[in-house]
Amino acid sequence: MKTVLEINLQSLEYNFNKIKSLVKPTTKTMAVVKANGYGSDMVAVAKKLDELGVDYFSVAYASEGVKLRNAGIKTPILVLIPQAGSFDEITNFELEPSIYSFHFLNTFIAYANEKNLSNYPIHFKINSGLNRIGFKEDEIEKAFKLMLNSNRFFVQSIYSHLSASEDPNEKAFTLQQITSFEKSIEKILPKLSHKPILHMSNTSGIINYPESEFDMVRCGIGLYGFSNTLSTTLKPVHKLLSTISQIIQVSKGESVGYNRAYVAKEKTKVGIIPLGHADGISRSFNKGGYVIIGNKKCKIIGNVCMDVIMVNLNGTVANEGDQVIIFDDKNTAENFAESVGTISYEILTNLSSRIERRIVS
Ligand SMILES: *Cc1c(COP(=O)(O)O)cnc(C)c1O
């Protein structure tokens, strides 16, 4: 045994179908597979979702889209945060960029003129309150006109992103974002002779705000089995397993690991697990983080090392070679994340390429 990340494609299928059952049958689904499919295996996940009939993929950067195309994915791919400088990658691999800033738009128009592009599919991004990327309400008309007048692009979609769709305390703000998006659309839609796809919801939007459904939903974390709403049952796709490499005994007063960060208060059985901060287990895990060995929670002790963590095995009958569960479908990545005050998104996307992925189907 060694450290392995299992990716369960049956759970992925279950989640995909569950998400589809939450939206109208005519609503398209876009699978968000950025960051290696939230730390899983982007290609394996995308191939499975393709089989299941997903309508669109999205990635953050052009290089991720290239990886999907090289794996044979033919479904349309939206690049959420393309950078000026990746136009060759975008056009050579038929990726569809977001148009989100004047800088990006102007440089893309110059490129499109030079290459004589026509009807190139783009996605117009509106900033309705997240204040990340996109055009603000007072820039929309100018940007849209500039884009249309270039005569180089086809508006495949117009979209925006919610800022707090998982938070019931921010309901008023979210509804205001949806209204702002609708107002912006009203201003620019009449300038087109076709109806582009409109979209706004992420996973929590799908669950909490049917008002934000429009023509398509963008589902990321939900496909991998998480949502902040407990009422919806999804199945975690990621399972991170390891093993006990070695067990050592330390006496009261002896320290464990770098900087002597842990000092044993009693005779302690210490397990060494081959997984460290180079694998995505951050140093903050020495503050309340734990793993599961033989159904028991074992606390991570001392500083997390680059390649290993140490855990307290007192009260267990654990042996060298025994299996260690970092997270699975019962002790989820969300629980693991919460033990140190972070979110499942961060835990999953940090899982480094050094960890072997094993596809379970
Ligand atoms: C990452 C991302 C998503 C996916 O969000 P989830 O909460 O994981 O469903 C959707 N839209 C945009 C613009 C994103 O950047």
Side-chain angles (χ1 to χ4, degrees), residues 28-323:
K28 293 181 193 303
T29 17
M30 170 182 277
V32 184
V33 296
K34 60 191 177 187
N36 196 22
Y38 288 49
S40 64
D41 179 325
M42 178 172 67
V43 167
V45 161
K47 283 187 167 167
K48 180 70 186 179
L49 292 168
D50 231 7
E51 256 175 57
L52 297 172
V54 74
D55 298 288
Y56 246 98
F57 287 110
S58 61
V59 293
Y61 302 114
S63 58
E64 299 176 301
V66 171
K67 202 172 157 196
L68 289 178
R69 287 283 183 253
N70 283 337
I73 301 288
K74 305 239 176 349
T75 304
I77 301 171
L78 161 59
V79 183
L80 296 164
I81 319 174
Q83 301 299 301
S86 32
F87 298 130
D88 282 338
E89 274 182 313
I90 288 170
T91 54
N92 290 342
F93 291 87
E94 294 178 36
L95 307 175
E96 303 178 4
S98 299
I99 299 288
Y100 58 91
S101 73
F102 285 105
H103 171 69
F104 184 81
L105 176 56
N106 282 318
T107 44
F108 197 27
I109 290 173
Y111 179 90
N113 288 337
E114 187 194 317
K115 303 281 175 178
N116 202 17
L117 299 183
S118 74
N119 269 322
Y120 200 86
I122 58 95
H123 300 256
F124 192 79
K125 175 77 189 281
I126 292 173
N127 170 6
S128 59
L130 175 61
N131 288 330
R132 197 170 64 178
I133 63 168
F135 295 103
K136 282 195 132 176
E137 219 171 295
D138 58 353
E139 299 170 327
I140 288 165
E141 282 169 290
K142 187 177 164 209
F144 207 73
K145 203 166 152 194
L146 181 63
M147 187 265 307
L148 285 184
N149 286 349
S150 74
N151 252 324
R152 296 286 173 193
F153 306 119
F154 178 81
V155 183
Q156 186 71 8
S157 88
I158 301 175
Y159 79 106
S160 188
H161 193 33
L162 294 168
S163 145
S165 54
E166 78 289 358
D167 186 352
N169 296 320
E170 293 294 355
K171 184 155 190 189
F173 181 85
T174 304
L175 293 175
Q176 188 189 310
Q177 263 197 287
I178 298 169
T179 309
S180 155
F181 180 54
E182 282 169 337
K183 270 207 257 164
S184 301
I185 291 167
E186 270 169 38
K187 283 191 215 160
I188 52 181
L189 267 193
K191 302 187 195 314
L192 295 174
S193 54
H194 71 287
K195 191 176 174 303
I197 303 167
L198 305 177
H199 51 115
M200 192 174 204
S201 315
N202 64 336
T203 299
S204 308
I206 296 166
I207 293 163
N208 300 326
Y209 295 95
E211 306 86 324
S212 69
E213 191 174 313
F214 298 96
D215 307 317
M216 181 161 76
V217 291
R218 301 188 304 272
C219 191
I221 198 81
L223 288 173
Y224 308 99
F226 298 101
S227 87
N228 305 58
T229 318
L230 300 167
S231 57
T232 312
T233 48
L234 296 168
K235 296 186 178 174
V237 164
H238 302 64
K239 195 190 255 194
L240 183 58
L241 305 173
S242 192
T243 185
I244 303 176
S245 280
Q246 187 181 1
I247 293 176
I248 58 169
Q249 302 286 345
V250 298
S251 317
K252 181 179 172 184
E254 274 193 277
S255 60
V256 175
Y258 286 132
N259 314 106
R260 309 191 63 208
Y262 183 82
V263 178
K265 292 178 195 70
E266 57 185 347
K267 186 165 182 257
T268 305
K269 182 177 171 187
V270 179
I272 320 295
I273 320 293
L275 182 75
H277 60 71
D279 302 290
I281 306 300
S282 95
R283 279 173 57 116
S284 58
F285 275 98
N286 70 354
K287 300 180 188 75
Y290 60 86
V291 300
I292 309 290
I293 299 171
N295 278 325
K296 283 194 82 132
K297 281 187 181 183
C298 299
K299 282 193 78 168
I300 296 172
I301 57 175
N303 282 326
V304 170
C305 304
M306 189 184 297
D307 312 304
V308 290
I309 50 176
M310 284 76 85
V311 301
N312 189 333
L313 295 177
N314 279 358
T316 71
V317 292
N319 289 307
E320 291 178 350
D322 282 2
Q323 187 182 64

